[in-house]
Amino acid sequence: MPTRHSRHGLTLSPDYRMVVLRDVYCDAAVGSTAAIREANKNVAASTGYEIYIVVSQDLIKVRADVEIWNEAPDDDLSASGWTGPLTFDLDCPTGNLQIGDIFGTAISGIDPPRGPGRYAVALFHRGREQADEAFREILRVMGTDGDDERIADLQRKHSGMEQYLIRIWWQADLPPDEDDEDL
């Protein structure tokens, strides 16, 4: 029976409209340009080592939650307004994950109990259209009398409206690294 092991959440204003999930020690930028280009078209994409999520706007904070499961969850999230899943494999050499923007607003300590390995990832989202509407409302207020206060009120009111749920479960051991020598 699928059981959730842990849940970790972060509300942030992602720089460059991007949220990234990756192993904390993984610096695998190979393929990132193509993955970011793909994420711009389809909400999210992966290099195999990093998952890039492109949020719909950059004026209102978004919410990203990561859940660690013992196996693939079997519940239907569409009844709660979630769209997805987009599915990916994620190689985690240390098994210690972090999620955040590309400039350091991040949380780590997302440590699946199985440790290093290849993980399955299911990404869901909701509130993107509503966040776009709120974004346009803020743009209409910009440059008007008292805009700073009104913008701040709108940002507080809509904070976390755009949401991402990332569910992760262990899939397999990592294949041997081509650079490793047989001992």
Side-chain angles (χ1 to χ4, degrees):
M1 180 171 149
T3 304
R4 187 175 70 192
H5 172 71
S6 62
R7 183 179 179 118
H8 312 267
L10 177 65
T11 302
L12 76 159
S13 298
D15 290 324
Y16 295 101
R17 294 181 40 223
M18 196 167 312
V19 175
V20 180
L21 173 70
R22 66 179 181 86
D23 189 278
V24 294
Y25 297 113
C26 184
D27 187 21
V30 174
S32 62
T33 301
I36 292 168
R37 190 176 313 120
E38 181 71 21
N40 274 302
K41 295 179 199 171
N42 298 311
V43 178
S46 175
T47 64
Y49 289 96
E50 297 174 299
I51 295 175
Y52 294 93
I53 303 165
V54 175
V55 303
S56 68
Q57 50 74 43
D58 61 355
L59 292 178
I60 303 165
K61 290 184 178 186
V62 301
R63 178 72 185 184
D65 289 291
V66 178
E67 296 179 345
I68 306 299
W69 289 75
N70 67 330
E71 62 183 78
D74 58 2
D75 54 341
D76 179 11
L77 297 179
S78 63
S80 301
W82 291 101
T83 299
L86 299 169
T87 58
F88 307 99
D89 290 335
L90 184 64
D91 286 357
C92 301
T94 70
N96 301 307
L97 302 170
Q98 76 175 31
I99 188 165
D101 66 19
I102 59 176
F103 285 109
T105 302
I107 57 169
S108 55
I110 306 170
D111 305 332
R114 295 285 302 257
R118 179 165 289 154
Y119 285 84
V121 177
L123 170 72
F124 299 85
H125 60 85
R126 68 179 172 192
R128 287 175 62 91
E129 292 87 14
Q130 295 88 342
D132 280 340
E133 289 172 20
F135 173 82
R136 287 190 295 278
E137 184 178 1
I138 290 170
L139 290 179
R140 285 190 297 274
V141 169
M142 287 182 172
T144 63
D145 289 338
D147 66 344
D148 288 343
E149 186 177 324
R150 291 174 41 209
I151 289 169
D153 287 343
L154 288 168
Q155 287 174 319
R156 276 190 297 277
K157 176 182 174 183
H158 298 298
S159 179
M161 171 186 291
E162 184 175 354
Q163 301 172 4
Y164 298 88
L165 174 61
I166 302 136
R167 291 177 154 187
I168 301 171
W169 59 95
W170 193 85
Q171 198 172 6
D173 289 323
L174 289 175
D177 190 334
E178 293 174 3
D179 296 333
D180 289 347
E181 294 181 23
D182 293 347
L183 300 177

